[in-house]
Amino acid sequence: MKTIAKKIYLALICIILYAPIVTLMVLSFNNTKTRSKWGGFTGKWYVSLFQNKEIMNALYTTLIIALFSALIATLIGTCAALGMQAMNSRMRTLFMGVTNIPMLNADIVTGVSLMLLFIAFRFTLGFKTILLAHITFNIPYVILSVMPKLKQTNRRTYEAALDLGASPAYAFFKVVLPDIMPGIFSGFLLSFTMSLDDFVITHFTKGPGIDTLSTKIYSEVRKGIKPEMYALSTIMFVTVLLLLILINMSPVEKKKAVKVKHFGKAQKFGRFFFQRLVPVAMAVLIIIGGFIYGKNDVISSQGQVIVYNWGDYIDPDVIDMFEEETGIDIVYEEFETNEIMYPKIQSGAIAYDVVCPSDYMIQRMIENNLLEEINYDNIPNLKYIDQKYMDLAKGFDPDNKYSVPYLWGTVGILYNKKMVDEPIDSWGVLWDEKYKDSILMQDSVRDAFGVALKYLGYSLNSTDLDELQAAKNLLIEQKPLVQAYVIDQVRDKMIGNEAALGVIYSGEALYCQQENPNLDYVIPKEGSNLWIDSWVIPKNAENKEHAEEFINFLCRPDIAKMNFEYITYSIPNSAGQALIEDDYMRNSTIAFPDIDQLKNCETFNFLGDENEALYNELWREVKSK
């Protein structure tokens, strides 16, 4: 009975550990982008993975930083451990305590501290700062791995070697180093693994044009993780699994000489594989990748433009076309939220040339004198932007001096027509008890409060405490009916028929409807948020004319059409809309609603730091109930 219980326990542990990985591996062969719908078996994501320049650059950067930081940290950490071992016990204890602090400290504290240090010393954030940061947080792990081995070494053996005439260096390399080598190797592997998997420290110390796999994946949250990432993760997992199997192959006594002979061959192959083949392969990877990476870093004679945009928010072919047509190189970086983007612009640590914030954040940046006025003489293609969107933009950019609309959309209700048997035209349906556990709300303070405020008949930019309290109470009343507060998960849940109703952005609704024809989208009659993401130029931009040339290029109708077809978010470019070949997409009321549907809609405004804090406090009260 105990044996059966042990087996069941072991099976449960394996399921908990490996079920997510198996799920990811299965999805890497799914012939659709959504995680909730099986579209048949395919290997196309593995093919497109190696054709995706952004992902492959991120992979290469991740491996190079992990390898170099681990090697350097191992060297420094080993030397530090040797020095600490030579100290008296009191000093050794003191230094070990200081060494352990970074490991006990939260990664976010270390990341922010390193970022501030680099900014204070006027370091340009980029590959070098990430490498320095990774070396810094890897060193304590090496020391922690080497010190126990040093304590196990016999000092008398080292002294005996010296007495026999060996030099200190010779005695160290022949006596001490072999004893502590397992600790050094363990420290290297630990450092490599920590660096490979790090996100927080990388996020705070990276600059434009540099992405690791972790930051690349995180930047795709708004649009959803690409299936190519599933394919890459599968390849990495299988590779690591094979390496572990080979590493853990150990000699086993065999009675038959033939088996011993065969094992000897396997052992020789393993030794050749790890001592010769793997190092050579890594060296070749570094050399080839270095040439490619170096080539990508060469600035064109025509100059460059540093772009800061939402994750997966532009057709990659558009970037290539701009570089080919103008000779100007694009250094491209992605952000995940307006709140993450803003501090980077405010700090001035990086001189971005063109940025794509949302409406309320543009207003905040204008009020804090962070934006440069745009010279519209350099943007003749502005004529293709429909005037109604320029008028809407005046809600956050009163004189249209600082921004050019790029993409826009609404927030509304996506509902499943097979699960909802009544006309949907009001936010009130989100409080209908018959849809309990089948309602998805946005996990966003302004979007959630916007829904409640509009349903109550108030402005979604309200700062009236009584109105906000009423909205808070309404959200608390709704909470027992909500299945989940989500961000990008709303797409998969609605496509997979896991919920009847979901609050969603119109661009996501259009994609969901393509995957599941039973879904429909409505802008409630009480009104909603009409959001506009626009291009702006920061005050400290070093390539303003190139930035304006880039904005002008994006306003071209054919380019706007390419971006719409890639992103599925609405374009404010009427000429670009006319070029859309698919009748359904061109005439979609989700992407391009009638003006009557927008009559009660508002854009978000920046409400000031005090009111933002008030909203956040009320939202915490809602989430804690």
Side-chain angles (χ1 to χ4, degrees), residues 320-332:
D320 294 336
M321 288 174 63
F322 177 80
E323 291 180 330
E324 289 174 8
E325 291 186 24
T326 64
I328 299 170
D329 288 328
I330 291 179
V331 179
Y332 195 79

Side-chain angles (χ1 to χ4, degrees), residues 294-364:
K295 184 179 178 182
N296 289 341
D297 278 353
V298 175
I299 298 175
S300 164
S301 59
Q302 300 298 320
Q304 67 176 9
V305 58
I306 303 177
V307 179
Y308 200 24
N309 193 11
W310 295 88
D312 203 27
Y313 215 46
I314 191 170
D315 188 334
D317 291 338
V318 168
I319 294 175
D320 294 336
M321 288 174 63
F322 177 80
E323 291 180 330
E324 289 174 8
E325 291 186 24
T326 64
I328 299 170
D329 288 328
I330 291 179
V331 179
Y332 195 79
E333 185 177 4
E334 297 172 330
F335 60 84
E336 304 79 48
T337 67
N338 285 293
E339 286 66 32
I340 288 174
M341 173 276 302
Y342 180 79
K344 282 197 171 185
I345 303 298
Q346 187 183 38
S347 70
I350 302 172
Y352 295 105
D353 296 314
V354 59
V355 187
C356 186
S358 300
D359 32 49
Y360 71 95
M361 191 56 70
I362 294 174
Q363 180 186 354
R364 183 180 185 183

Side-chain angles (χ1 to χ4, degrees), residues 445-446 449 461-469 472 607-622:
V445 55
R446 290 299 300 271
F449 269 85
N461 292 305
S462 175
T463 57
D464 184 277
L465 185 57
D466 291 336
E467 294 178 358
L468 293 177
Q469 287 286 356
K472 181 200 75 173
L607 304 176
D609 292 332
E610 290 185 6
N611 287 316
E612 292 288 336
L614 175 60
Y615 266 82
N616 289 329
E617 181 183 343
L618 294 174
W619 180 235
R620 282 193 294 272
E621 290 182 33
V622 172

Side-chain angles (χ1 to χ4, degrees), residues 142-282:
V142 176
I143 296 173
L144 188 67
S145 300
V146 175
M147 284 299 292
K149 288 296 179 183
L150 278 172
K151 291 179 180 179
Q152 294 172 10
T153 57
N154 191 335
R155 184 173 179 83
R156 292 187 181 88
T157 308
Y158 173 75
E159 291 173 348
L162 294 178
D163 291 341
L164 290 171
S167 66
Y170 187 85
F172 170 76
F173 283 107
K174 291 297 182 179
V175 177
V176 179
L177 189 60
D179 284 345
I180 66 172
M181 185 55 71
I184 295 174
F185 187 64
S186 176
F188 170 79
L189 288 179
L190 185 58
S191 297
F192 184 85
T193 304
M194 295 292 292
S195 179
L196 196 70
D197 193 47
D198 175 74
F199 164 74
V200 175
I201 291 174
T202 305
H203 174 76
F204 285 102
T205 57
K206 80 183 191 76
I210 302 294
D211 258 318
T212 62
L213 285 176
S214 59
T215 58
K216 178 64 181 169
I217 291 170
Y218 189 65
S219 68
E220 294 180 357
V221 167
R222 187 175 186 180
K223 285 287 290 177
I225 307 301
K226 293 178 180 177
E228 288 90 341
M229 285 296 184
Y230 305 152
L232 177 60
S233 299
T234 300
I235 292 172
M236 293 177 70
F237 174 75
V238 172
T239 302
V240 170
L241 182 63
L242 290 174
L243 287 173
L244 286 173
I245 291 172
L246 289 170
I247 288 171
N248 286 283
M249 287 175 63
S250 58
V252 178
E253 290 294 329
K254 304 290 182 181
K255 292 182 179 179
K256 295 182 180 180
V258 177
K259 290 185 178 180
V260 174
K261 183 178 178 181
H262 283 302
F263 179 79
K265 289 181 179 179
Q267 192 177 30
K268 287 180 181 179
F269 172 76
R271 190 181 299 115
F272 169 76
F273 182 81
F274 287 106
Q275 293 182 0
R276 303 292 169 83
L277 192 59
V278 170
V280 170
M282 292 182 74

Side-chain angles (χ1 to χ4, degrees), residues 464-499:
D464 184 277
L465 185 57
D466 291 336
E467 294 178 358
L468 293 177
Q469 287 286 356
K472 181 200 75 173
N473 293 334
L474 194 63
L475 290 171
I476 292 173
E477 177 188 331
Q478 180 206 32
K479 195 172 179 182
L481 309 179
V482 175
Q483 180 191 112
Y485 293 94
V486 292
I487 302 177
D488 63 316
Q489 302 96 321
V490 65
R491 294 187 300 266
D492 295 322
K493 284 181 173 290
M494 292 302 295
I495 292 171
N497 300 311
E498 295 179 36

Side-chain angles (χ1 to χ4, degrees), residues 121 126 151 426 624:
F121 282 92
K151 291 179 180 179
S426 169
S624 65

Side-chain angles (χ1 to χ4, degrees), residues 272-449:
F272 169 76
F273 182 81
F274 287 106
Q275 293 182 0
R276 303 292 169 83
L277 192 59
V278 170
V280 170
M282 292 182 74
V284 170
L285 173 67
I286 293 170
I287 292 170
I288 294 175
F291 277 118
I292 296 172
Y293 196 80
K295 184 179 178 182
N296 289 341
D297 278 353
V298 175
I299 298 175
S300 164
S301 59
Q302 300 298 320
Q304 67 176 9
V305 58
I306 303 177
V307 179
Y308 200 24
N309 193 11
W310 295 88
D312 203 27
Y313 215 46
I314 191 170
D315 188 334
D317 291 338
V318 168
I319 294 175
D320 294 336
M321 288 174 63
F322 177 80
E323 291 180 330
E324 289 174 8
E325 291 186 24
T326 64
I328 299 170
D329 288 328
I330 291 179
V331 179
Y332 195 79
E333 185 177 4
E334 297 172 330
F335 60 84
E336 304 79 48
T337 67
N338 285 293
E339 286 66 32
I340 288 174
M341 173 276 302
Y342 180 79
K344 282 197 171 185
I345 303 298
Q346 187 183 38
S347 70
I350 302 172
Y352 295 105
D353 296 314
V354 59
V355 187
C356 186
S358 300
D359 32 49
Y360 71 95
M361 191 56 70
I362 294 174
Q363 180 186 354
R364 183 180 185 183
M365 295 168 83
I366 292 172
E367 290 179 5
N368 288 284
N369 196 32
L370 296 177
L371 300 182
E372 186 71 29
E373 289 189 20
I374 296 175
N375 182 359
Y376 289 104
D377 292 337
N378 294 329
I379 308 180
N381 289 334
L382 188 69
K383 63 186 177 183
Y384 297 115
I385 303 297
D386 198 303
Q387 185 57 43
K388 67 182 178 183
Y389 301 108
M390 297 299 292
D391 292 339
L392 286 168
K394 289 181 179 179
F396 53 87
D397 181 7
D399 299 313
N400 290 136
K401 290 181 178 181
Y402 299 96
S403 62
V404 173
Y406 173 53
L407 295 173
W408 70 280
T410 57
V411 175
I413 300 173
L414 184 68
Y415 63 97
N416 191 312
K417 291 180 284 187
K418 286 192 172 182
M419 301 170 73
V420 176
D421 55 3
E422 61 189 278
I424 302 298
D425 65 351
S426 169
W427 291 117
V429 72
L430 300 178
W431 280 263
D432 192 329
E433 291 192 0
K434 71 179 178 181
Y435 298 114
K436 183 177 181 179
D437 293 327
S438 198
I439 297 171
L440 301 174
M441 284 289 288
Q442 282 288 318
D443 191 8
S444 162
V445 55
R446 290 299 300 271
D447 286 326
F449 269 85

